[in-house]
Amino acid sequence: MAEDDRAPHDGSQAHGPLLRKLSRIIELSNAETSCLQALHSNTVTFEPGQDILEEGRKIEQAYIQIDGWAYRYKTLLDGRRQIMNFVLPGDMSGIYGGIRVEADESVAAHTRVKCHSFDPVDLIELFGNCPKVGVAISWLVGRQDAIMSEQVLRVGRRTAYERTGHLILELLNRLRHTGDAESRSFELPITQELLADCLGLSVVHVNRTLRKLRENGIAHVKENRILIDDLERLINVTEFDGGYLEPHKLPPKVDQALN
Amino acid sequence: MAEDDRAPHDGSQAHGPLLRKLSRIIELSNAETSCLQALHSNTVTFEPGQDILEEGRKIEQAYIQIDGWAYRYKTLLDGRRQIMNFVLPGDMSGIYGGIRVEADESVAAHTRVKCHSFDPVDLIELFGNCPKVGVAISWLVGRQDAIMSEQVLRVGRRTAYERTGHLILELLNRLRHTGDAESRSFELPITQELLADCLGLSVVHVNRTLRKLRENGIAHVKENRILIDDLERLINVTEFDGGYLEPHKLPPKVDQALN
DNA sequence: CGGATCTTTGACTACGTTCAATTATTGTGG
DNA sequence: CCACAATAATTGAACGTAGTCAAAGATCCG
């Protein structure tokens, strides 16, 4: 799991999970790459349980996550908590810092989390100086938006069973984009309580749902890994269509406009 | 309700709901304003029920909504539908068109909807040519993101009663930013079925929830208007904090960087 | 006026929650 | 290396919020 971000996974670029992800949708020149690399100069580590950003507080730094699992969440006064989404290697936090002073959500590290930090205001300048990188970042933002959208559908209209299965597939696919998952399994270093707070369910019910998934021969958890036993059926049951996660090449018109 | 976008509401700018909203967070020069105005040259009208964008199809046009209610939604195969969010005057649709070819969600007009349309690729160029406008648009994107985030919390962790009340307050506040709501009431031209699909509830339950809200003297619907009878209590019950909707001035550092 | 759509209510059902207790599993210090 | 504490997973039983089904009013509109 712990990965050296200088070691390429499979012949792709050796610049860490963010560039690995971006290289699939847009071709960056050396100048542009180093433009992005400028955001990679600082490294910070957060310990499990530590807050990376806090709802309502000023966003001092933005982050590019390299390793570990974090999550974006909100809470209600009586303690109910909702996780919007997990933050995985290659994901960014706090990018609105230059524009929307206060954080709308909290972000916390669940495992030990390693990330690069930078001044969110730099991002604004980067959009001006390096439009192609701006487009790449916008693509990421759009993708996050699509993920959020699936999250609303999941929590709002899917049953507990569908919900759980669908999230598993989303995580599988997201992790595969950075080389952090095998074809049918991945490391899931989180508790059922986190899962519950992400799925809008109680811990007890998550547990029962996972059991049903296991009993049906669809997927099971073993030693902090999730193993998918019947991928096809899981896809069918959850109506999973990974299109929203996939990198598409940019429209040619845009590529021209940028060169 | 139907409003002439040349007629200022209250001494603010007379350039339609988008500029009215933006003028609260960022000062735009004449050059910048006309930069934005370039997106306002075409006008389209959609009839009730008509699709503005369709999930999975290419995004041909982006839109700035001037008037009417639309909604972004997704459906499951058996007909379950989840509304991500309502699209109100001053909101944009299809802005990722230049970057993410296919639409991740559908957008449909509920009332008659009037909007300006433009080529989403123009938006990319605009970011390069007119950074201040880029920042303004990014602010809008960030705000949408925050709204989505609240939607996840609402649907995932709030009770039906809290959910319904919270959405009412969100709509009230959003509409007030464009002058489309009074201080404690607004035109709600939608059916309970739409509300249900937004709240992740059944129509029947929405109906019962609205009744409870009415019986408790908190809010009631009359002639397609929602009237809030006890604003303070509604805010308390729903733990509503409108911060995520409010325009904040940009950090001074950013303002400098842009001039 | 008549048909269609929307709202409202009742009765019953069920999915998921809560409470409570038991059984792993993990981590820590002696 | 084990004992103990703490955390996490698992299961049962009872409950409750919200869903489904069905039917009766309202309202809208041509």
mmCIF file of all heavy atoms in Angstrom, chain B residues 19-20 64 68 75 82 108 114 124 138 141 162 179 181 197 213 234:
data_model
loop_
_atom_site.group_PDB
_atom_site.id
_atom_site.type_symbol
_atom_site.label_atom_id
_atom_site.label_comp_id
_atom_site.label_asym_id
_atom_site.label_seq_id
_atom_site.Cartn_x
_atom_site.Cartn_y
_atom_site.Cartn_z
ATOM 1 N N LEU B 19 -25.019 38.402 -13.442
ATOM 2 C CA LEU B 19 -24.190 39.544 -13.070
ATOM 3 C C LEU B 19 -24.635 40.154 -11.748
ATOM 4 O O LEU B 19 -23.820 40.654 -10.983
ATOM 5 C CB LEU B 19 -24.212 40.594 -14.185
ATOM 6 C CG LEU B 19 -23.150 40.329 -15.249
ATOM 7 C CD1 LEU B 19 -23.506 40.965 -16.571
ATOM 8 C CD2 LEU B 19 -21.798 40.839 -14.757
ATOM 9 N N ARG B 20 -25.924 40.050 -11.507
ATOM 10 C CA ARG B 20 -26.431 40.571 -10.242
ATOM 11 C C ARG B 20 -25.804 39.801 -9.088
ATOM 12 O O ARG B 20 -25.418 40.359 -8.062
ATOM 13 C CB ARG B 20 -27.958 40.424 -10.211
ATOM 14 C CG ARG B 20 -28.632 41.305 -9.211
ATOM 15 C CD ARG B 20 -30.003 41.775 -9.709
ATOM 16 N NE ARG B 20 -30.916 40.691 -9.986
ATOM 17 C CZ ARG B 20 -31.622 40.565 -11.112
ATOM 18 N NH1 ARG B 20 -31.504 41.440 -12.085
ATOM 19 N NH2 ARG B 20 -32.429 39.554 -11.276
ATOM 20 N N ILE B 64 -26.865 29.987 -19.297
ATOM 21 C CA ILE B 64 -27.041 30.845 -18.125
ATOM 22 C C ILE B 64 -28.533 31.053 -17.972
ATOM 23 O O ILE B 64 -29.183 31.608 -18.859
ATOM 24 C CB ILE B 64 -26.378 32.220 -18.328
ATOM 25 C CG1 ILE B 64 -24.882 32.063 -18.522
ATOM 26 C CG2 ILE B 64 -26.677 33.123 -17.138
ATOM 27 C CD1 ILE B 64 -24.209 33.332 -19.003
ATOM 28 N N GLY B 68 -37.233 31.044 -14.626
ATOM 29 C CA GLY B 68 -37.879 29.741 -14.549
ATOM 30 C C GLY B 68 -37.118 28.764 -13.659
ATOM 31 O O GLY B 68 -36.039 29.063 -13.164
ATOM 32 N N THR B 75 -31.565 9.221 -13.149
ATOM 33 C CA THR B 75 -32.582 8.202 -12.917
ATOM 34 C C THR B 75 -31.959 6.815 -12.879
ATOM 35 O O THR B 75 -30.886 6.587 -13.443
ATOM 36 C CB THR B 75 -33.642 8.192 -14.032
ATOM 37 O OG1 THR B 75 -32.975 8.150 -15.286
ATOM 38 C CG2 THR B 75 -34.508 9.421 -13.973
ATOM 39 N N GLN B 82 -33.533 10.915 -8.851
ATOM 40 C CA GLN B 82 -32.991 11.788 -7.813
ATOM 41 C C GLN B 82 -32.628 13.123 -8.425
ATOM 42 O O GLN B 82 -31.872 13.187 -9.396
ATOM 43 C CB GLN B 82 -31.747 11.165 -7.175
ATOM 44 C CG GLN B 82 -31.080 12.050 -6.138
ATOM 45 C CD GLN B 82 -31.955 12.291 -4.900
ATOM 46 O OE1 GLN B 82 -32.542 11.361 -4.373
ATOM 47 N NE2 GLN B 82 -32.056 13.529 -4.454
ATOM 48 N N ALA B 108 -33.575 19.308 -16.791
ATOM 49 C CA ALA B 108 -34.877 19.482 -17.430
ATOM 50 C C ALA B 108 -35.551 20.749 -16.939
ATOM 51 O O ALA B 108 -35.372 21.154 -15.793
ATOM 52 C CB ALA B 108 -35.771 18.275 -17.157
ATOM 53 N N LYS B 114 -36.163 30.352 -19.486
ATOM 54 C CA LYS B 114 -35.488 31.212 -20.447
ATOM 55 C C LYS B 114 -34.014 31.264 -20.078
ATOM 56 O O LYS B 114 -33.672 31.437 -18.909
ATOM 57 C CB LYS B 114 -36.092 32.619 -20.382
ATOM 58 C CG LYS B 114 -35.945 33.424 -21.662
ATOM 59 C CD LYS B 114 -36.814 34.673 -21.638
ATOM 60 C CE LYS B 114 -36.112 35.832 -20.965
ATOM 61 N NZ LYS B 114 -36.977 37.013 -20.800
ATOM 62 N N ILE B 124 -13.479 28.293 -21.722
ATOM 63 C CA ILE B 124 -12.060 27.994 -21.518
ATOM 64 C C ILE B 124 -11.204 29.170 -21.949
ATOM 65 O O ILE B 124 -10.278 29.577 -21.238
ATOM 66 C CB ILE B 124 -11.686 26.717 -22.286
ATOM 67 C CG1 ILE B 124 -12.430 25.532 -21.699
ATOM 68 C CG2 ILE B 124 -10.183 26.480 -22.238
ATOM 69 C CD1 ILE B 124 -12.287 24.259 -22.478
ATOM 70 N N SER B 138 -15.354 30.640 -11.118
ATOM 71 C CA SER B 138 -14.892 29.620 -10.175
ATOM 72 C C SER B 138 -15.615 29.740 -8.845
ATOM 73 O O SER B 138 -15.906 28.746 -8.191
ATOM 74 C CB SER B 138 -13.391 29.757 -9.940
ATOM 75 O OG SER B 138 -12.692 29.579 -11.137
ATOM 76 N N VAL B 141 -18.779 28.012 -9.219
ATOM 77 C CA VAL B 141 -18.590 26.564 -9.205
ATOM 78 C C VAL B 141 -18.410 26.081 -7.768
ATOM 79 O O VAL B 141 -19.002 25.087 -7.352
ATOM 80 C CB VAL B 141 -17.381 26.160 -10.071
ATOM 81 C CG1 VAL B 141 -17.066 24.687 -9.907
ATOM 82 C CG2 VAL B 141 -17.657 26.478 -11.532
ATOM 83 N N GLU B 162 -36.511 17.579 8.944
ATOM 84 C CA GLU B 162 -35.385 18.501 8.860
ATOM 85 C C GLU B 162 -35.007 18.785 7.402
ATOM 86 O O GLU B 162 -34.725 19.924 7.021
ATOM 87 C CB GLU B 162 -34.163 17.897 9.569
ATOM 88 C CG GLU B 162 -34.337 17.691 11.060
ATOM 89 C CD GLU B 162 -33.292 16.755 11.648
ATOM 90 O OE1 GLU B 162 -32.597 16.048 10.871
ATOM 91 O OE2 GLU B 162 -33.157 16.716 12.876
ATOM 92 N N GLY B 179 -33.007 38.349 -6.150
ATOM 93 C CA GLY B 179 -34.204 39.168 -6.027
ATOM 94 C C GLY B 179 -35.478 38.430 -6.360
ATOM 95 O O GLY B 179 -36.513 39.040 -6.607
ATOM 96 N N ALA B 181 -37.114 36.365 -4.305
ATOM 97 C CA ALA B 181 -37.877 35.952 -3.123
ATOM 98 C C ALA B 181 -38.044 37.136 -2.189
ATOM 99 O O ALA B 181 -37.212 38.032 -2.147
ATOM 100 C CB ALA B 181 -37.160 34.820 -2.398
ATOM 101 N N ASP B 197 -38.446 13.929 -5.132
ATOM 102 C CA ASP B 197 -37.275 13.430 -5.846
ATOM 103 C C ASP B 197 -36.014 14.199 -5.480
ATOM 104 O O ASP B 197 -34.913 13.708 -5.631
ATOM 105 C CB ASP B 197 -37.513 13.475 -7.360
ATOM 106 C CG ASP B 197 -38.432 12.353 -7.817
ATOM 107 O OD1 ASP B 197 -38.572 11.370 -7.067
ATOM 108 O OD2 ASP B 197 -39.021 12.457 -8.906
ATOM 109 N N LEU B 213 -45.204 20.509 9.076
ATOM 110 C CA LEU B 213 -44.615 21.842 9.104
ATOM 111 C C LEU B 213 -45.716 22.896 9.268
ATOM 112 O O LEU B 213 -45.559 23.874 10.012
ATOM 113 C CB LEU B 213 -43.862 22.069 7.790
ATOM 114 C CG LEU B 213 -42.347 22.285 7.725
ATOM 115 C CD1 LEU B 213 -41.600 21.863 8.954
ATOM 116 C CD2 LEU B 213 -41.764 21.615 6.482
ATOM 117 N N LEU B 234 -37.727 27.578 12.312
ATOM 118 C CA LEU B 234 -37.326 26.768 11.169
ATOM 119 C C LEU B 234 -35.801 26.666 11.089
ATOM 120 O O LEU B 234 -35.228 25.604 10.848
ATOM 121 C CB LEU B 234 -37.880 27.374 9.876
ATOM 122 C CG LEU B 234 -37.598 26.604 8.589
ATOM 123 C CD1 LEU B 234 -38.011 25.152 8.704
ATOM 124 C CD2 LEU B 234 -38.300 27.250 7.404
#
